[in-house]
Amino acid sequence: MDYSNLRRQAASLKKGLFDQGHLDEQFRQVEDLQDEASPNFVEEVVVVFFKDSGRLITNLEQALEKYPRDFNRWDAYMQQLKGSCSSIGASRMKNECMSFRDSCGQRNVEGCMGSFQKLKREHAVLRQKLESYFQLLRQAGPAGAATRPVM
Amino acid sequence: MAPPEEAGGGDQFPVGMKVLVVDDDQTCLAVLKRMLIQCRYDATTCSQATRALAMLRENRGAFDVIISDVHMPDMNGFRLLELVGLEMDLPVIMMSADSRTDLVMKGIKHGACDYLIKPVRMEELKNIWQHVVRKKFGGNKEHEHSGSLDDTDRNRPTNNDNEYASSANDGAEDSWKSQKKKRDKEEDDSELESGDPSNNSKKPRVVWSVELHQQFVNAVNHLGIDKAVPKKILELMNVPGLTRENVASHLQKFRLYLKRIAQHHAGMGNPYGVPASSAQVASLGGLDFQALAASGQIPPQALAALQDELLGRPTNNLVLPGRDQSSLRLAAVKGNKPHGEQIAFGQPIYKVQNNSYAALPQNSPAVGRMPSFSAWPNNKLGMADSMSALGNVNNSQNSNIGLHELQQQPDTMLSGTLHTLDVKPSGIVMPSQSLNTFPASEGLSPNQNPLIVPSQSSGYLTGIPPSMKPELVLPTSQSSNNLLGGIDLINQASTSQPFISSHGGNLSGLMNRNSNVIPSQGISNFQTGNTPYLVNQNSMGMGSKPPGVLKTESTDSLNQSYGYVNHMDSGLLSSQSKNAQFGFLQSPNDVTGGWSSLQNMDCFRNTVGPSQPVSSSSSFHSSNAALGKLPDQGRGKNLGFVGKGTCIPNRFAVDEIESPTNSLSHSIGSSGDIPDMFGFSGQM
């Protein structure tokens, strides 16, 4: 019960992420890739994602300051980040990336800054929620093996 | 996940297919790798393009297909695409989170087999094996189970998996590699010019030699472009051993080519920077097939315009639309690069040594001769020149082919690729010697770009520094490839690689091939001297799904050595190789001018139809004459002309080539328009 409860919590957390648009179908595809050969695949990918995206966000932040109005450069960073987000299904983040790029295209500095702030927030939120999610799973995991419905 | 082996039961073909994924995004790499593994492919990831390229160069056979991101820090994905296409003639799939059409188009033009938008889905990955098979089979329809292959090849249906797989697997024991080998063996059809024995993956393809193409063109003209159906064309041509499928695919390419020309002239150009004065272009503008057909296929004006463009001549008119990268490169390569884009094909070759070639318009794929050529292509290709990188990729493939013959236009492609040119010469005949660098140069392996680089090249190709020494532009190639005169340039750009075989003057050897650099794949062989009917169809690398449609056109249709110049999509000059086929370059035998292109021009004129005396050709010829009269067009007229505008056959990353082309282009340009873009004139 304990475990199933934990699992239930994890499932509900995940569902919330989907419902609120933090994650999209791509995340499910990534989950499908997990199997016995790669039992922790999803978590591994998520870890890699946050590491990379964290780095990109930091770089971009510096670039926003150091290279004012250098839209091409900003756009290039964001392009990379967008690719990562789409690979993992981080859809809110991806949307912010796109609006940032639109602002770059319009050479709209305020727009860029605004999108960037939102992006950072979404990034933080997603990271925190996914961390909780995996933690729940880990707690529920070993014990849950027996009860896990899907084999 | 169920393995993607839908292909005939028991056939394991897609299983174990070796995929290399190149992307600086670790997240994406991780996800893709897992997906590929689930598809039962053998996946390798690499986050640096330079490392990936080194891996590929080290062992070309290590991978069957490459998936590469567009935006990477150390190398532009398009450039990688070009290089891989040129040197290794492997199918390359681009991917990006950016779905803008112009980027997709660029990818196709550069020869990408496909363009995936991130996030990539499993379903898309499941189908990528088709690209590999498609490429391998190239245009060899008749050998393969004609039924299934034809359909697959022609229609390029993605759903034809089973059929394709079945035929591919036919006899294949278990690995799909064996299938490839089988296919290779099938090339002993008389028609097929299995020029290069070395290519293990040679697929028996019909080589559309200059003469053959001329016959085709005559038949089409006779029937009228509207009414030209493969069956009737086949009957009119009355060539034993040629199948309706061959004709059909060639016709498709031809149509694409014409369309491209028409569009090009319609002033589409310029987007790529080629300033089209459009004087001539205008005339072509709005050309439709009918018009073109009426005028004898490619109105001399158009051709001239194209030529101009190709040559990089200041004619701006011909802005080759679509070509953007590849063609432009060629032009650029030629040295002229007036616009930078021009289809430098033929031109670059001039520079190369032979002077005689100098006259040779871009096409001189004469690869063999121009060692410098290789340098040239490199420029384009490898070089960051944007143009070549993308478009040429295809071309490069093609170019490889051409090299053999030198005729082919070693142009652009050669230089860059020469080094690595492993390029499998799709068909280009190059006396393999030089081809060392080119992997397959021998025969026109469909896969590769026929760039047949004349054997000598082996050294030369490599020797040519990426910077593409314009001089290198294989002079020989000129003769050989000049098919298009201008077009060659294109080819050259793309295929340049193989050609480069700077033989040293042994152009004739190279040139024989005529195969000019037929843009990559398809053309590949033509040259070997025999006018094999190589129909390289796909060598263009463009292959598969033309997202932008361009691909399809160019690759498939163009590949066929149409020299359509630019394979339109693939941008790779691969089309060039094709062009060569058109006979432009017809056996530059003499290589003296390597120029076959010049000759082609003449031929072109003839073929083109009385419509306009190709003035350019005449002048062109004069230069040719010096060159040594391009040998009969018979050989693989390298149509190479690859539609200037159209993305000069992929490989040609012509842009970079600029240097050598200059000389050529000048000569060509001066001569007037090298109408023979399409290589029609091949027959002189």
Side-chain angles (χ1 to χ4, degrees), chain B residues 587-593 599 624-632 684:
Chain B
S587 46
N589 300 319
D590 304 27
V591 177
T592 44
Q599 307 222 335
N624 272 335
L627 293 180
K629 325 175 174 221
L630 295 177
D632 53 38
M684 314 236 260

Side-chain angles (χ1 to χ4, degrees), chain B residues 400-450:
Chain B
N400 294 329
I401 314 188
L403 292 180
H404 292 299
E405 290 294 287
L406 263 195
Q407 305 197 338
Q408 310 185 350
Q409 324 179 7
D411 53 88
T412 53
M413 307 289 265
L414 295 176
S415 31
T417 41
L418 291 180
H419 304 311
T420 51
L421 272 183
D422 249 356
V423 194
K424 301 165 187 224
S426 30
I428 303 220
V429 177
M430 292 230 335
S432 43
Q433 322 161 1
S434 48
L435 295 179
N436 306 329
T437 43
F438 300 118
S441 24
E442 11 254 23
L444 304 169
S445 39
N447 306 332
Q448 309 169 349
N449 309 309

Side-chain angles (χ1 to χ4, degrees), chain B residues 172-213:
Chain B
E173 347 353 338
D174 0 332
S175 71
W176 63 298
K177 281 218 178 125
S178 23
Q179 289 164 6
K180 290 192 267 189
K181 292 198 189 126
K182 269 177 82 105
R183 282 199 275 282
D184 294 339
K185 294 197 242 162
E186 292 179 309
E187 306 183 355
D188 14 30
D189 202 286
S190 55
E191 297 209 55
L192 298 175
E193 163 95 12
S194 321
D196 17 347
S198 53
N199 300 334
N200 33 340
S201 52
K202 275 190 316 185
K203 294 207 255 260
R205 286 198 294 210
V206 167
V207 177
W208 282 88
S209 64
V210 172
E211 286 104 10
L212 190 62
H213 179 73

Side-chain angles (χ1 to χ4, degrees), chain B residues 352-380:
Chain B
V352 191
Q353 26 239 268
N354 301 310
N355 319 310
S356 47
Y357 296 114
L360 291 180
Q362 318 121 22
N363 297 328
S364 41
V367 177
R369 305 211 255 185
M370 322 214 247
S372 50
F373 202 80
S374 43
W376 173 54
N378 276 331
N379 295 336
K380 286 244 211 248

Side-chain angles (χ1 to χ4, degrees), chain B residues 32-53:
Chain B
L32 265 185
K33 180 171 187 170
R34 191 93 205 99
M35 283 185 174
L36 291 168
I37 289 174
Q38 289 223 341
C39 289
R40 307 258 301 259
Y41 297 142
D42 185 335
T44 305
T45 59
C46 184
S47 60
Q48 289 172 322
T50 43
R51 201 160 69 76
L53 198 59

